[in-house]
Amino acid sequence: MTASERRGAAGAPQPPLQGEEAVRLAAQHYSEVLAGVPRRYLVCAGTGCVSNGSLQVLEALQVALAGTEHAGTNGRQEGWPKVVSITGCHGFCAKGPLVRVEPGGLLCSEVRPEAVPEMVRLIEAGEAPQEALTYHDPITGDAYSHEHEIPFYAHQQRITLQNCGVVDPEDIRTYFARGGYAGLTRALFQMSPDEVVGEVSASRLRGRGGAGFSTGEKWGLTRRQPGERKFIICNGDEGDPGAFMDRSIMEGDPHAVLEGMVIAGYAVGASEGYVYVRHEYPLAVNRLRRAIEEANLWGLLGPSVVGTPFSFQIHVREGAGAFVSGEETALIRSIQGERAVPFMRPPYPSEKGLWGCPTCINNVETLATVPLVIARGAEWYAGLGTQNSGGTKVFALTGAIRNTGLVEVPLGTSLRHVVERIGGGAREGRTIKAVQVGGPSGGCLPESLLDTPVDYEDLGRTGAIMGSGGMVVADNATCMVDLARYFLSFTQDESCGKCVPCRVGTRKMLVILTRITEGQARPEDLDRLEQIANVVCTASLCGLGRTAPNPILTTLRYFRDEYQAHIHDRRCPAGTCAALAGKE
Amino acid sequence: MAIGDMSNAPTTAQASLTIDGRTVEAGQGTTVLEAALAVGIDIPRLCHHPDLSAWGGCRLCLVEVEGQATPAPSCGLAVREGMVVTTQSERLTALRREVLDFLLSDHPLRCVVCERAGRCELQRYAYELGLEETSHDKEVARDLYQDDNAFFIRDHQYCISCTKCVRVCDEVVGATAIEMARRGFGTYVATPFDAPLAETSCTFCGNCLQVCPTAALMPVGRIGKGREWDLVRTRTVCPYCGTGCGLEVATRNGEIVSVSGYADAPANGEFLCTKGRFGLGFATHPQRLRKPMVRRDLANRLGLTPDQPPAGLGRSPLVRAPGLAESHVEVEWDVALDIVAGSLAEIVEGSGPDAVAGIGSALAANEDNYAIQKLMRGVIGTNNIDLCARL
Amino acid sequence: MAAAPSPGRLRKIAYMGDPLAAPPPSELMGVLDRYRGQHDVLVTVLQQIQSVHGYLPKRSVQYAARELGVPLARLYGVATFYNQFRFTPPGRHAIQVCRGTACHVAGSSTLVAGISAALGVAQDETTPDGMFSLQTVACVGCCSLAPVMVVNHDVHGSLTAERVGEILDRYAGSAEAAPAGEGKV
C-alpha cells in the first residue's frame, strides 16, 4: 500500500511513514488541516511562562472555549487539531504568560487566568482583546497587537527558532505541518552521506556551542574515521548561567533536534545517538523523550528510517549538575558513567570518543539548524551570515534592559542592534554600561564596543567569545568587579580539579577578587591578578580553565578604573559591593 | 606465512622529530615525553607514570610545539613526523614556576621535618626552579589524616591530586579501592564514604605509596626512622614466592625501614604485593632462626651436648612452655647436614626410597626448588616431591 | 612528615559479617534490574535511587555497586562529583535559589543570605525540624523572572525579601500538601 493509498483510505497519513513521498504528503495534509482552523490559541509552555502560570491560562482557555461554536475538537479526526494547544518558548519571556492567536499572530501578553474568559469573548467576537493584554512599547507607549509588529520580534530573524512557539512540542503532526523531516528525506533519498557533509560545510554553519568549529568539517572528520560503530552526541548540557537557548529549542522544537541528529548520523555513518540534557531542564527531558517515542512510532527513528535500510536510535541521558560536563571529552566520560573530567585532546572525540569509537558532538542549536540547511540548501543559509560564518545565532538576552528573552539575529548583526533595537535599551533612568557575552567563559564589553558585529572572529578580537549565546546587559548599577567575581566564583566552584592551574589558580584569583570587593585589596593585587589569569589561560587542560579568566581579563581591560577605585579609593562606583557601601 | 615474508611486512612506522634541536626517532603512537626520555631529555612531570594511563593534570610537562600558539602537555602528545619541540624555554620555565607556585600554596612546606625530603618530587622541582615559598596566600584544601590501618598513613594535606595512586589501584592492581571524590579545589582521594581502608577492596599492596610523589602516603614503619639520605638502599629479590620480584630495601643501622619496588625490575617492574612490601619484618626479628638447631634429646644422644632436656618441661599447664633455647641446641651447618644425611640414608636403606618425601617452598627461589626435586629424584630415588605453590 | 606515629589511634577492625547479606529492598531492585548489564547508565542509576529516597542512602549505593558489578569507589567518586547528588535526607521543602547570572545581577546573593538568616541554616543544610533545606543551584533558565527560587519543583520568580517571607510561611504552614507555586518546572 502506498502512502497516498493509505491516506486515501484513512483520511490522514498513518504511521510509520515510508518513503519520501509519504513525508511530503504528511506535511501537506497536516498543514492543510491546520490552515483550515479559523482560530487557534497557542499558549507558551516554555519554562519561563510555565513558571509564570501559563498552564493555568491553558486550562482557563479550554474552559472558556468549551462553550463557543468551534469548541472543538469534536468532528475532527482523533480530536485534532486542537483549538488550544501548547507551544515552546515564544522568546518574549519578560511579558509572559503569552498567548498567540493563529492565524494572524495576535499576541496577548501577561495573561492571567482571570482575564481569559473576557479575552476569549472579545477575540471570538472578532474584536481586539483587552487593553491590558496588548503589548505597549515601554518607551513610546505605542500599542502593538500582533507579534510580528512588536519591535522585539520585528528586529529579529528567526530561522533556528522558526518553529519555537509555533509547533506543539508534544505533537509531531504540527511539526510535519511546518515541513518537518523534509531535510531528513532530502538527505536520505537525494544525497549521499558525502554530499550531506559537503552541503553542511558549504553552509558555513559553525558550532553554536561556543568554539565555532565548522560543523561540516567536524562531520567530515568523523565520517573519514575507520570503524563500524560511531556515535552522534547532542550536547544539551547548557550550563552557562544566563543562557537558555538550547533549553528553549529542546522544549519548543524537540523534533528539529532529533531530525538534525538523524541527518548527522546518516552523514557520518553512525547508528546511535545520545542527547545529553541537564537535569535542571526536566521539561526538555520529558519533551525529548516524548518526541523520540513519536519519531519511533512514525518510523523516523528505529531500524529502518523512513523505510530505508539506514537505522538510527536515540537515547536521552540526564546530566547530574556539573558545568564541566558540557566540555566534550568530559561529556563522554559522563555518559560512560564516570566523573566528568576532561581529557587531553588529541585524540579528538571524532577519532576516539564514546567507548573509544569515533564520535561527533554537536550543540543543540547546531543540530536544530541542520534540517533547515539541508531542506533549504546551503546557499540560502550561508547567505544569511557573514563571510566566515553562515546563518543566524540565538541569544538569551537578560539583565538590565527592557525586553528580555530569546532572540535570533543573523551573524554579523551589531551588539547595539540586539541590545537597543530588540532589547529596548536601558531601563528608565539607567544607562547601559556593558554587555557580557558568552557567560563565564566570555567577556564584558563596554558600551563603546557595542558596534562590534556578533561573529566568532570579531568578538574574539575584543577578548570576549561568542560562547553559547548568553548575553547579560549590565547598567550603571552593576559593579564590574563584582560581576567578574561572580563569574569566577562560578567557574571556581565548577572546576573539576584535574589540572593544577584551574584547580588552584581559579581559587587564587577568587581570593584576590573577593579581597578587592571587600575593600581589603593590596596595591600589587591587580598585577598579580592579571598574571595568574594569563597562566590559567595558557596552562589549563580544557576550555573551562582556559576561558575562566576571560571575565577578569576583559573587565581589567575595559573597566580598570573600577578596579582602581576599589583598591585605591576603597569605593565601589556602582554601589554594589556591600563592604564598600556608603563610601560612594 | 613464510618467514621470508616478514621482511615485506610493514615495519613499525617511525617518526622523525626534533626535540630541543636534536633529531629523535620514535615509533608512531609514542608520546613526545617518551621520545624525549628515551634520548635522555628530562621533562619535569608530576602526574606521569610510564605504566599508567596519561593524565595531563600537573601541567609541568608542557612543551612548545612549533606552529602551535599554546604549549601542549608532552605526556599526551603523540609524535608526528617533522614535529619541532622545545622542552626548555624562558616561557616554559615561567609557566612551570607558576604552576609549581600554585601547588606549593596548597602544600605544607615542612620539608625540614618531612621523611620524604630528599625523595619528594615536589621538593625536587621547587629546588630546580628555585622556589622557596609560594607567592600566594597559603591555603591547604585538605586536612584529613587517616591512619586506619597497620601498613600506611594517608596524610591528605601533602597530596597534590596527581591521581597516580588512584590510577595504579585501578589500572595495575585492579582493586579500585580509592577514587577522586568531590571536585575542584576540594577534590581529594577518598575511599567509598571515607570508610577505613580495611572495609574497602584495598589489598594493602602499597603500590599507591610506590607512585606517590610526596609524603601523602607513607609506610607506618617509616615514620621517625630517619631522613632519606640516612637510608641505605639495597636491591634484592623478594623471599616470599617464586615470582622473584625485585625489591629495594631501605635500611638504617641494619634495620629495615621500608621496602619499595624499583623501575625495570625484571619480574615485576615497579610493583609489589603486600607481602614483599610490608612483610619483611621477619628479617630482623629476634626469634628468626639464624643457625641450624638440633632437638636437645637427639643432640644428647649424639653426644653434642651433655645436658638432658629438662624433664617434665611443658607437661603441665602451670609451667611455661619450653623456649627454643631449652628444647634445641644450636649446631654448625656441617653437623646438622651430617645428621640429616645420615638419617635419610638410614630410612632409604631400611624402608626404601619411597618412604621419603621432599616438600619445596614457595618462599625459596626457583633454583632452590629445582635443587630439592633433583635431590629427591636423583639422589634419594623417589618421585615424592611437592611444593606448596603448585596450587 | 611532621605527624608522629600514633599507634594508639590505630583502630581495631573486627569482621562483622557481610553488611549486604540480605538482598536489596524491592524498590531498589526494581531500579537496578532495569539497568543491569548496561554500561552507560551509572549516573542514571544514581539519579533513580535519589528520586526514590530524596537522597543517596549509603546502603543503596553499596547495593548498586555490588549488583551492577561496578567498584564502589568509582560510584562514590561519581556521586560526589555532581551537584545533584546528596548523602543526607533533604528537608520536607527543598528550597533552591538560582545562582544564574541574571539572578545574581538581580540580587540573588542577598536573597540567599536573607533566607539563610531567617531559617538559621547555611547552604546545603536542613533546618533542625526537617522542614526546609536550603541550596543554591545552577541557572534554572528562568532568567526573565530573576531572581528565582525553586521550592519542591515550583518556581517562584521576581522575588523580593518580603515575597520570600510570605512564600516560605505558606510552605511552613502546610507541612503535608505543599501550596502550589506559580507553576512547575
Side-chain angles (χ1 to χ4, degrees):
Chain A
M1 190 163 63
T2 67
S4 57
E5 281 166 350
R6 200 177 286 138
R7 186 176 163 229
Q14 294 297 315
L17 298 179
Q18 301 213 317
E20 196 178 2
E21 185 64 8
V23 176
R24 199 189 60 75
L25 286 173
Q28 195 187 342
H29 172 82
Y30 288 119
S31 61
E32 277 167 12
V33 173
L34 281 184
V37 184
R39 262 184 301 279
R40 291 196 301 131
Y41 294 78
L42 305 181
V43 182
C44 176
T47 297
C49 280
V50 170
S51 311
N52 250 334
S54 72
L55 294 185
Q56 284 89 321
V57 172
L58 178 80
E59 272 172 42
L61 269 171
Q62 281 161 341
V63 171
L65 281 160
T68 63
E69 55 182 288
H70 72 279
T73 61
N74 293 335
R76 293 200 180 86
Q77 67 280 15
E78 314 145 43
W80 198 87
K82 294 176 193 147
V83 172
V84 184
S85 71
I86 58 162
T87 68
C89 184
H90 291 199
F92 205 6
C93 308
K95 293 288 166 191
L98 300 170
V99 177
R100 202 176 63 243
V101 186
E102 290 289 350
L106 180 78
L107 187 76
C108 303
S109 57
E110 297 179 274
V111 182
R112 314 273 13 145
E114 310 82 75
V116 167
E118 178 67 3
M119 178 185 104
V120 168
R121 192 188 62 76
L122 288 169
I123 293 175
E124 290 295 316
E127 295 171 36
Q130 302 100 302
E131 190 71 6
L133 301 184
T134 307
Y135 173 77
H136 289 79
D137 189 292
I139 311 170
T140 61
D142 295 345
Y144 297 95
S145 55
H146 291 79
E147 188 177 276
H148 56 268
E149 299 165 353
I150 297 174
F152 176 78
Y153 290 104
H155 292 113
Q156 297 188 43
Q157 187 167 7
R158 300 199 140 207
I159 303 293
T160 305
L161 295 179
Q162 63 161 1
N163 289 335
C164 278
V166 179
V167 301
D168 179 347
E170 298 182 359
D171 189 343
I172 194 172
R173 291 169 293 188
T174 57
Y175 185 64
F176 285 137
R178 299 279 295 177
Y181 289 103
L184 174 64
T185 48
R186 175 156 186 249
L188 284 177
F189 292 100
Q190 295 172 26
M191 299 165 90
S192 71
D194 282 317
E195 282 167 349
V196 176
V197 172
E199 187 85 4
V200 175
S201 296
S203 74
R204 297 202 301 273
L205 173 63
R206 292 167 66 172
R208 298 292 188 237
F213 193 77
S214 156
T215 306
E217 204 174 312
K218 199 181 224 177
W219 287 14
L221 284 174
T222 318
R223 167 152 188 79
R224 283 191 295 277
Q225 284 297 318
E228 286 286 293
R229 206 163 172 222
K230 294 179 186 175
F231 293 98
I232 301 292
I233 296 178
C234 171
N235 185 350
D237 191 68
E238 184 178 50
D240 283 18
F244 49 92
M245 304 76 51
D246 295 348
R247 192 205 63 200
S248 296
I249 294 172
M250 291 185 286
E251 284 177 7
D253 197 8
H255 283 286
V257 180
L258 301 186
E259 188 181 351
M261 288 180 74
V262 185
I263 295 173
Y266 174 70
V268 308
S271 57
E272 236 178 304
Y274 285 88
V275 194
Y276 187 90
V277 193
R278 300 172 68 198
H279 78 99
E280 289 94 336
Y281 290 172
L283 197 56
V285 172
N286 290 340
R287 294 213 173 131
L288 280 167
R289 289 223 162 99
R290 203 187 159 108
I292 290 172
E293 268 174 42
E294 278 187 305
N296 268 313
L297 178 74
W298 285 83
L300 301 157
L301 283 175
S304 162
V305 177
V306 208
T308 63
F310 172 63
S311 85
F312 200 77
Q313 304 283 346
I314 296 180
H315 316 280
V316 178
R317 287 288 172 272
E318 278 179 74
F323 177 60
V324 69
S325 54
E327 202 277 343
E328 54 181 19
T329 56
L331 193 151
I332 288 173
R333 302 277 151 175
S334 184
I335 292 181
Q336 290 178 181
E338 296 167 45
R339 292 163 60 82
V341 293
F343 272 73
M344 289 181 284
R345 299 179 303 181
Y348 287 91
S350 57
E351 304 157 65
K352 264 187 159 179
L354 192 62
W355 315 115
C357 304
T359 303
C360 180
I361 303 181
N362 285 124
N363 166 268
V364 169
E365 195 185 328
T366 316
L367 285 168
T369 309
V370 163
L372 288 168
V373 170
I374 301 296
R376 297 180 66 172
E379 209 172 305
W380 161 79
Y381 191 75
L384 294 170
T386 64
Q387 201 64 41
N388 293 321
S389 28
T392 55
K393 172 82 189 99
V394 183
F395 290 95
L397 189 62
T398 56
I401 38 163
R402 289 195 166 89
N403 304 330
T404 59
L406 213 57
V407 305
E408 181 172 355
V409 289
L411 288 167
T413 310
S414 75
L415 281 172
R416 193 177 296 284
H417 179 90
V418 177
V419 172
E420 291 181 357
R421 304 291 289 280
I422 300 173
R427 293 199 179 120
E428 199 64 42
R430 303 275 188 87
T431 49
I432 287 174
K433 180 155 80 180
V435 178
Q436 210 283 347
V437 192
S441 323
C444 293
L445 302 184
E447 204 273 342
S448 59
L449 282 178
L450 280 190
D451 291 314
T452 310
V454 175
D455 194 7
Y456 296 91
E457 280 75 22
D458 290 302
L459 279 176
R461 266 192 289 280
T462 64
I465 61 163
M466 177 81 119
S468 55
M471 201 181 271
V472 183
V473 180
D475 63 11
N476 51 343
T478 314
C479 170
M480 301 315 285
V481 183
D482 180 67
L483 193 63
R485 198 191 79 86
Y486 161 75
F487 280 119
L488 205 76
S489 70
F490 177 82
T491 34
Q492 195 270 142
D493 203 39
E494 295 291 342
S495 166
C496 77
K498 177 171 180 172
C499 73
V500 180
C502 182
R503 180 175 76 230
V504 187
T506 53
R507 180 79 176 183
K508 296 303 162 202
M509 289 192 285
L510 183 63
V511 167
I512 295 179
L513 279 174
T514 307
R515 212 152 60 201
I516 294 176
T517 55
E518 286 176 352
Q520 309 286 324
R522 304 166 194 162
E524 74 274 13
D525 273 352
L526 224 47
D527 292 335
R528 195 76 189 108
L529 191 62
E530 212 157 8
Q531 194 186 354
I532 301 175
N534 282 318
V535 172
V536 175
C537 258
T538 323
S540 292
L541 192 152
C542 78
L544 185 145
R546 283 172 186 269
T547 57
N550 280 352
I552 297 181
L553 289 171
T554 50
T555 46
L556 274 173
R557 187 160 152 192
Y558 301 117
F559 301 97
R560 210 177 181 91
D561 51 326
E562 285 199 30
Y563 281 89
Q564 273 155 351
H566 282 79
I567 296 172
H568 300 300
D569 311 341
R570 300 274 190 258
R571 165 177 88 75
C572 174
T576 310
C577 301
L580 299 173
K583 298 193 180 178
E584 170 67 352
Chain B
M1 190 168 65
I3 290 172
D5 290 346
M6 292 297 279
S7 56
N8 296 332
T11 49
T12 323
Q14 290 278 313
S16 173
L17 66 158
T18 314
I19 304 180
D20 291 346
R22 285 169 64 179
T23 307
V24 178
E25 293 285 328
Q28 291 285 3
T30 54
T31 62
V32 169
L33 179 63
E34 286 162 352
L37 291 176
V39 295
I41 298 173
D42 196 31
I43 300 175
R45 61 201 181 278
L46 283 169
C47 69
H48 172 264
H49 190 283
D51 295 328
L52 303 177
S53 61
W55 182 245
C58 76
R59 315 310 280 175
L60 280 184
C61 74
L62 291 174
V63 293
E64 286 176 325
V65 182
E66 208 173 85
Q68 280 185 23
T70 45
S74 57
C75 66
L77 190 64
V79 296
R80 279 193 318 270
E81 182 64 36
M83 203 178 206
V84 180
V85 178
T86 312
T87 72
Q88 296 290 343
S89 72
E90 241 173 75
R91 181 191 186 201
L92 288 175
T93 306
L95 268 183
R96 286 175 188 152
R97 279 180 62 101
E98 291 283 354
V99 170
L100 213 61
D101 198 353
F102 287 146
L103 281 175
L104 294 186
S105 76
D106 189 23
H107 182 97
L109 292 179
R110 298 206 194 106
C111 306
V112 285
V113 291
C114 180
E115 269 93 3
R116 192 72 205 216
R119 238 193 175 206
C120 170
E121 288 172 46
L122 193 63
Q123 192 192 39
R124 174 189 157 194
Y125 291 123
Y127 171 78
E128 285 178 7
L129 293 166
L131 282 165
E132 60 180 279
E133 243 303 352
T134 176
S135 66
H136 303 288
D137 293 351
K138 196 99 183 174
E139 185 187 11
V140 179
R142 307 151 305 274
D143 59 357
L144 209 56
Y145 178 87
Q146 294 173 302
D147 54 354
D148 54 24
N149 67 83
F151 302 105
F152 52 89
I153 294 169
R154 293 176 286 154
D155 196 349
H156 291 257
Q157 54 179 333
Y158 294 95
C159 176
I160 57 169
S161 301
C162 70
T163 74
K164 281 204 269 190
C165 53
V166 172
R167 281 176 286 152
V168 83
C169 192
D170 186 44
E171 296 169 15
V172 175
V173 182
T176 321
I178 46 174
E179 170 63 294
M180 298 308 290
R182 309 230 189 104
R183 67 178 188 219
F185 192 59
T187 192
Y188 70 110
V189 180
T191 55
F193 300 96
D194 290 328
L197 270 173
E199 290 171 21
T200 70
S201 49
C202 177
T203 63
F204 298 98
C205 64
N207 285 318
C208 45
L209 281 71
Q210 179 79 33
V211 294
C212 182
T214 68
L217 290 166
M218 291 294 262
V220 170
R222 173 78 186 79
I223 309 298
K225 295 285 172 60
R227 314 296 298 268
E228 280 298 321
W229 47 85
D230 298 330
L231 305 179
V232 179
R233 292 182 175 268
T234 313
R235 288 191 178 180
T236 181
V237 176
C238 177
Y240 269 103
C241 78
T243 309
C245 295
L247 301 183
E248 193 170 85
V249 181
T251 53
R252 191 187 181 202
N253 301 331
E255 186 196 357
I256 294 181
V257 174
S258 71
V259 178
S260 50
Y262 58 93
D264 55 80
N268 58 316
E270 195 172 338
F271 304 114
L272 301 175
C273 77
T274 186
K275 295 183 194 171
R277 191 181 303 276
F278 298 115
L280 288 200
F282 69 84
T284 50
H285 197 278
Q287 287 185 349
R288 182 178 173 184
L289 296 180
R290 290 164 188 282
K291 292 188 93 178
M293 294 183 118
V294 176
R295 252 175 27 229
R296 199 169 277 271
D297 56 341
L298 178 65
N300 181 267
R301 228 183 312 136
L302 296 172
L304 294 171
T305 174
D307 303 330
Q308 285 285 342
L313 187 75
R315 299 262 171 81
S316 159
L318 296 176
V319 184
R320 129 190 105 78
L324 204 60
E326 287 150 328
S327 58
H328 288 71
V329 179
E330 213 170 86
V331 295
E332 291 304 314
W333 275 105
D334 283 348
V335 178
L337 287 173
D338 282 347
I339 295 175
V340 173
S343 305
L344 279 176
E346 210 175 287
I347 294 168
V348 172
E349 256 171 47
S351 315
D354 283 339
V356 179
I359 297 175
S361 168
L363 261 71
N366 276 342
E367 293 78 355
D368 296 338
N369 281 319
Y370 177 80
I372 192 169
Q373 70 86 22
K374 197 77 182 163
L375 175 76
M376 285 299 133
R377 295 205 169 100
V379 179
I380 307 281
T382 177
N383 287 326
N384 292 343
I385 173 75
D386 207 348
L387 182 81
C388 63
R390 79 183 155 87
L391 291 173
Chain C
M1 193 149 65
S6 50
R9 286 172 61 187
L10 279 176
R11 255 203 286 161
K12 280 231 166 102
I13 294 158
Y15 182 65
M16 306 294 282
D18 180 5
L20 305 179
S26 59
E27 75 267 20
L28 183 61
M29 250 346 220
V31 171
L32 298 179
D33 280 340
R34 200 168 340 142
Y35 297 109
R36 216 177 280 276
Q38 294 179 45
H39 297 284
D40 51 356
V41 291
L42 219 57
V43 174
T44 315
V45 167
L46 291 174
Q47 284 169 334
Q48 298 280 331
I49 295 175
Q50 178 147 314
S51 74
V52 171
H53 300 279
Y55 70 109
L56 292 178
K58 183 175 167 184
R59 275 174 74 84
S60 301
V61 179
Q62 288 171 327
Y63 274 127
R66 190 185 70 182
E67 294 292 318
L68 300 177
V70 178
L72 182 59
R74 188 171 301 159
L75 212 54
Y76 183 71
V78 169
T80 55
F81 186 88
Y82 297 97
N83 286 338
Q84 189 187 1
F85 301 119
R86 50 184 303 156
F87 294 109
T88 50
R92 192 168 292 157
H93 305 299
I95 306 170
Q96 300 176 312
V97 182
C98 176
R99 54 172 181 145
T101 318
C103 290
H104 173 78
V105 172
S108 68
S109 45
T110 340
L111 216 60
V112 176
I115 299 173
S116 181
L119 298 179
V121 289
Q123 275 182 48
D124 296 322
E125 281 182 7
T126 306
T127 50
D129 59 359
M131 185 66 84
F132 291 106
S133 53
L134 176 61
Q135 257 189 312
T136 57
V137 290
C139 187
V140 293
C142 299
C143 306
S144 298
L145 310 177
V148 169
M149 74 174 177
V150 183
V151 185
N152 305 339
H153 301 290
D154 292 327
V155 176
H156 302 270
S158 311
L159 295 174
T160 56
E162 302 88 73
R163 277 207 60 206
V164 169
E166 286 166 27
I167 293 167
L168 293 188
D169 285 346
R170 270 196 283 145
Y171 279 100
S174 63
E176 290 312 315
E182 282 99 307
K184 285 198 182 288
V185 209

